[in-house]
């Protein structure tokens, strides 16, 4: 059997009861069910795009004299 909390423990237990209210528990998670997966997928896309740009970066046209000579 659990030890009685005493007046101080009871005070803090009552102070934290609002955290277990059904209106507050996981409300954002239920409102946006796929947000976590979407953010992870978008992050992977951004990283992949940066890697792709570094590997296959188009070379800028060189301003050498050979292209301007006739």
């Amino acid at each position: 059997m659990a030890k009685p909390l005493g007046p101080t423990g009871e005070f803090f237990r009552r102070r934290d009861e609002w955290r277990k209210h059904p209106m507050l528990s996981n409300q954002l998670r239920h409102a946006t069910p796929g947000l976590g997966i979407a953010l992870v997928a978008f992050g992977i896309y951004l990283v992949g795009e940066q890697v792709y740009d570094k590997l296959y970066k188009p070379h800028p046209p060189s301003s050498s004299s050979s292209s301007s000579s006739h």
Side-chain angles (χ1 to χ4, degrees):
M1 186 168 190
K3 187 171 106 177
L5 293 174
T8 307
E10 187 67 27
F11 170 76
F12 285 112
R13 189 179 67 75
R14 279 183 284 137
R15 294 269 307 208
D16 286 338
E17 294 234 349
W18 66 272
R19 297 177 195 266
K20 296 181 178 84
H21 195 275
M23 288 293 287
L24 297 174
S25 63
N26 288 331
Q27 195 71 353
L28 183 62
R29 185 169 295 228
H30 291 302
T32 58
L35 183 64
I37 295 171
L39 288 175
V40 169
F42 186 64
I44 291 171
Y45 164 76
L46 290 178
V47 169
E49 186 179 21
Q50 292 297 317
V51 169
Y52 179 82
D53 286 345
K54 293 230 187 276
L55 292 176
Y56 302 107
K57 188 175 190 179
H59 299 290
S62 61
S63 60
S64 64
S65 61
S66 64
S67 64
S68 63
S69 66
H70 297 283

